[in-house]
Amino acid sequence: MNDIKFNISEHWLPVNEKRGTIDKDTLRIKVSGINFHTQQEASSWGLFTGYIKPDTNNTYDPNAICFYKSDGTLLGYVQKELQDYVGIFTKGRELDCVIAITPFFSKEGKIRNQACATILKFFEDDIEYATEMINRVTEDVGNDALIEISHFENELSSHGNIQLNDDVIDDNKDWGNTVFRCDDYYKFKQCDKTGKKSYDTLTVKIENADWYFDRKKWQAGVFSGYVDVVRIESINQYGIYRDDNTLVGCPDSFEFDDEIKEFTEGHRIFCIFMLVPHIDTKTSCIDIKGKAVLIKFFEDEREYAYKLFEDVRTRLANNAVVDYKKFTTKKAELEDCGISVLLSWSFDTRRYKFGDQETTYLDDSGKPQKSHSGCSALVAIFATVSILAIVFTMLII
C-alpha cells in the first residue's frame, strides 16, 4: 500500500459547510474507466492520494468529472449516471480523495482493475478533524483493499499460466496459526458496538518481543492470542500473550496502558498479532518487529466478530509478507556488501514469566531456571547464627 499524504490547506472549504460527522463529510464512489488508464499489474494496486475535478474541456461530455492521482495522472471518471449526485456533494469544486485500486478476475478469466475513491472535505482551521478523517478513511479503505487483493491472490493460485511481476506478494509461506475463539473471551454489551473497525479494534506495537524457542531460529507470522495485565517488578502493565499463555511482549510505551485499559475496560480480550524480523540499519542487527490488533467481541454478534477477525487477519498477513520480503532483501544486500548480519543483543537470554507474586527467569529453551531461594535461606540462617554467636561471646567477656 502506498503512503497517503495530503496538503490539507490546498482545498479548504468554509467551516459553515461542515456537517460534523465523517460519514456525511466524505463520499465513496466507484471510479469508471480505470482499466483504460492503469496497467493490470501489481505496481498499479494499492492506496493513492488523489483529487476529483470537473473536466469542462471534455469534447465528448462537458459534464465529465475526473479522478486524478496527486501527480496529475488521470485514473478515470465518475459514472455518467452519478454525475449529478457527485456534483451536489462537491459543488463543482476540486476536492481531495483517497483512491484504492485492486485487481480481480473477469468472467473471461482475465486480470482487470477496479477502483473506488473516497472524496474528503477539509474545513478552514480544523486540522484535527481533517486528520481524524484521513486516518479513518485510510484504515477503512485500506482494509477493504487488502481483502480484495487477498481474494485475488487466492484465485491466482488456480491460474498457473498467468505470470505477474515480482511485486505480487507470494504468500505461499505458512505465516502462522490464527484461531477464531469468540466463545473464550469477554463479550461487551451490544449497545457498545460502533460497527466501525477503527473503533471496535485497537492497534498497538509490541516492544521487546520474547520468543520461547531457540534464539537462532526464526518463526515469523501471524498468530492469535489475547491481551491481559502482567506484573513486571511490582508494576502492572498490559502484555500480549500467545494462545498457550506465554508472553510475547508489551506495547511500546507505558502511555498505551491507559488507552488499552479504556478500550478493554479491564477485561482480557482477544487479539491477533504479527511477528516479523527486521534489520536495524544502524547496527546491522536483526530485531523483531511486532504489532497486535485488539478485537472487541459483542453479545449476540458472532457474525460481526468473525468479520473483524477475517479483516484483521488478512491485513496483518499481508503486512507480514511485505515486511518479511523487505527483511530478506535488506539482509541479502548487506551480505553482498560483506556486512555480516548478526543476532541483536536485544534478544536477552533471560525469559520472563509473569505471575501474581513473582517474576520467574527462564533459560533459552523456555524452561524455568532453578530457584536459588533455598541457598539464600541457608545463607540468611548462617549469618543470623554467626551474629548471635558473636553477641554471646561478647557478653561472656
Side-chain angles (χ1 to χ4, degrees), residues 11-238:
H11 299 128
W12 280 133
L13 296 179
V15 70
N16 59 2
E17 291 189 22
K18 177 180 175 182
R19 301 183 66 182
T21 64
I22 292 176
D23 291 337
K24 293 180 180 179
D25 289 326
T26 61
L27 178 64
R28 192 168 180 176
I29 198 80
K30 180 181 178 181
V31 179
S32 182
I34 187 69
N35 285 289
F36 292 101
H37 302 283
T38 58
Q39 298 295 318
Q40 289 73 35
E41 57 186 27
S43 59
S44 298
W45 308 331
L47 293 189
F48 303 92
T49 307
Y51 59 92
I52 185 172
K53 181 180 179 181
D55 184 8
T56 55
N57 296 323
N58 192 306
T59 56
Y60 298 99
D61 183 2
N63 298 316
I65 305 174
C66 300
F67 290 103
Y68 298 89
K69 289 175 66 174
S70 56
D71 62 4
T73 303
L74 177 64
L75 292 177
Y77 300 86
V78 174
Q79 290 177 275
K80 192 175 183 66
E81 296 78 11
L82 297 176
Q83 288 174 351
D84 291 341
Y85 175 65
V86 173
I88 293 173
F89 183 83
T90 64
K91 295 183 178 180
R93 296 169 296 200
E94 181 178 328
L95 296 178
D96 294 292
C97 300
V98 174
I99 302 171
I101 304 175
T102 57
F104 71 100
F105 281 103
S106 68
K107 293 180 179 179
E108 296 78 21
K110 295 182 179 180
I111 298 176
R112 291 289 182 262
N113 291 342
Q114 56 189 348
C116 69
T118 303
I119 308 169
L120 312 175
K121 287 184 176 180
F122 299 142
F123 301 96
E124 292 174 342
D125 303 323
D126 200 340
I127 296 177
E128 183 177 351
Y129 185 56
T131 302
E132 180 186 0
M133 182 183 297
I134 292 170
N135 291 339
R136 172 96 69 82
V137 169
T138 301
E139 182 175 359
D140 287 348
V141 175
N143 287 342
D144 292 342
L146 284 172
I147 292 172
E148 292 292 342
I149 292 176
S150 178
H151 289 168
F152 169 78
E153 290 170 351
N154 290 335
E155 289 188 68
L156 184 63
S157 62
S158 62
H159 293 73
N161 59 329
I162 295 178
Q163 298 293 327
L164 295 178
N165 61 34
D166 292 338
D167 291 332
V168 177
I169 297 172
D170 177 13
D171 60 354
N172 293 326
K173 179 180 174 62
D174 179 9
W175 283 100
N177 184 22
T178 51
V179 181
F180 181 60
R181 298 174 60 190
C182 182
D183 297 331
D184 297 342
Y185 292 96
Y186 179 79
K187 308 292 192 306
F188 292 86
K189 293 181 180 179
Q190 197 174 55
C191 60
D192 293 334
K193 174 188 169 186
T194 68
K196 292 286 186 180
K197 292 186 287 290
S198 53
Y199 289 115
D200 294 335
T201 63
L202 177 66
T203 302
V204 295
K205 293 181 180 179
I206 302 175
E207 184 180 64
N208 297 330
D210 287 322
W211 291 36
Y212 293 87
F213 46 77
D214 190 332
R215 295 168 63 210
K216 295 182 180 179
K217 292 182 180 179
W218 289 106
Q219 186 180 344
V222 177
F223 310 91
S224 56
Y226 61 90
V227 61
D228 201 359
V229 176
V230 297
R231 187 172 181 272
I232 306 177
E233 297 177 357
S234 301
I235 300 176
N236 288 330
Q237 184 181 1
Y238 282 94

